[in-house]
Amino acid sequence: MSEINDFDNKQLTPYQKEYSEEKLKDKLSKYAKNAGAKLVFYVLELYYVMMSSKTSLRYKAIIVGALGYFISPFDIIPDLMPILGYSDDVAVLLAVIKAVSDSLTPDIKERAFKRLQDWFPDISISDIDY
């Protein structure tokens, strides 16, 4: 128990002056928006790669599997779990984006970002780009 107290005193005390309920709400709001926007952006990128006539059937099958995993309520970490619920979805989406990256053209990224801005008008590409 003294280790926890030592950690609190040594590590957290300098940050106490930064805390306010308003700052916490602002940070959570921005984080949630950016995290949500990233997830949506990944899904849109995969969707547009899948819809491209230049994408191989193999890649399309992989993308359908990833998007199906994202949609399914039955996955490794249930989506209802706060914060962690979508971490497995993000991991799967990013792995598939990496796998099909040679089909992810600048045009597709631009189309995905434009659609994203329909839902998140004040988001910038730097907030979501990986």
Side-chain angles (χ1 to χ4, degrees):
M1 197 64 148
S2 66
E3 291 176 14
I4 293 173
N5 290 335
D6 289 343
F7 176 80
D8 289 347
N9 291 334
K10 293 176 184 173
Q11 303 297 323
L12 299 180
T13 302
Y15 295 101
Q16 288 176 346
K17 66 180 186 235
E18 296 294 326
Y19 176 81
S20 76
E21 193 169 326
E22 183 178 330
K23 285 181 181 178
L24 179 62
K25 287 178 182 176
D26 288 346
K27 181 74 172 201
L28 284 174
S29 174
K30 183 174 174 35
Y31 177 78
K33 179 182 73 173
N34 288 348
K38 283 182 183 184
L39 180 64
V40 172
F41 184 67
Y42 300 154
V43 170
L44 288 169
E45 283 185 317
L46 289 175
Y47 172 78
Y48 286 122
V49 169
M50 181 182 67
M51 297 307 293
S52 173
S53 61
K54 297 176 184 175
T55 301
S56 71
L57 288 176
R58 179 176 179 266
Y59 280 4
K60 288 181 181 196
I62 292 169
I63 293 168
V64 166
L67 295 179
Y69 184 86
F70 171 70
I71 293 167
S72 175
F74 306 107
D75 54 16
I76 295 171
I77 303 174
D79 295 341
L80 297 175
M81 291 182 65
I83 301 172
L84 293 177
Y86 287 103
S87 61
D88 60 322
D89 297 281
V90 170
V92 168
L93 294 172
L94 285 174
V96 173
I97 286 171
K98 184 176 181 179
V100 302
S101 63
D102 57 330
S103 293
L104 187 59
T105 64
D107 178 59
I108 287 173
K109 284 186 90 158
E110 183 178 333
R111 289 177 65 201
F113 184 69
K114 283 183 180 179
R115 176 57 67 104
L116 181 73
Q117 285 187 310
D118 291 343
W119 298 316
F120 299 89
D122 56 341
I123 202 86
S124 73
I125 193 71
S126 64
D127 292 329
I128 52 118
D129 207 11
Y130 45 91

